[in-house]
Amino acid sequence: MNDDFQATWPEHTPMHTDTNTDTTARAPSSLPLKQIVTIRLDVDMLNWFKAAGPGYQTRINQILRDHMDAQKADKGAAA
């Protein structure tokens, strides 16, 4: 549905100080495309993310990305 949607602002900000990832070095023009989705989250978890201030969706995305990258690295190390 929203395959052509791309943020026009640099929304991707790292939540950690690890500068060893390729996501922190991306130029704004190479940011990944964003897909608008609906996801059901536990209320207490959503409130926790929102309590940290604006950008909670970006923080959720970053945590999911970190988990995805770790899973990929685990699979690569096992091969």
Side-chain angles (χ1 to χ4, degrees), residues 10-74:
E11 183 179 289
H12 185 79
T13 55
M15 287 194 47
H16 48 77
T17 57
D18 181 13
T19 57
N20 213 10
T21 63
D22 63 345
T23 58
T24 57
R26 290 183 188 165
S29 63
S30 66
L31 288 174
L33 293 176
K34 301 287 183 169
Q35 174 72 45
I36 297 173
V37 298
T38 300
I39 183 171
R40 294 178 184 268
L41 301 172
D42 295 337
V43 173
D44 60 334
M45 187 174 62
L46 182 59
N47 288 338
W48 181 79
F49 276 103
K50 286 184 172 184
Y56 74 94
Q57 292 174 328
T58 300
R59 288 189 294 277
I60 292 169
N61 189 73
Q62 183 63 48
I63 288 169
L64 291 171
R65 177 169 295 285
D66 290 346
H67 182 73
M68 179 187 73
D69 291 343
Q71 293 293 310
K72 286 181 177 180
D74 287 348

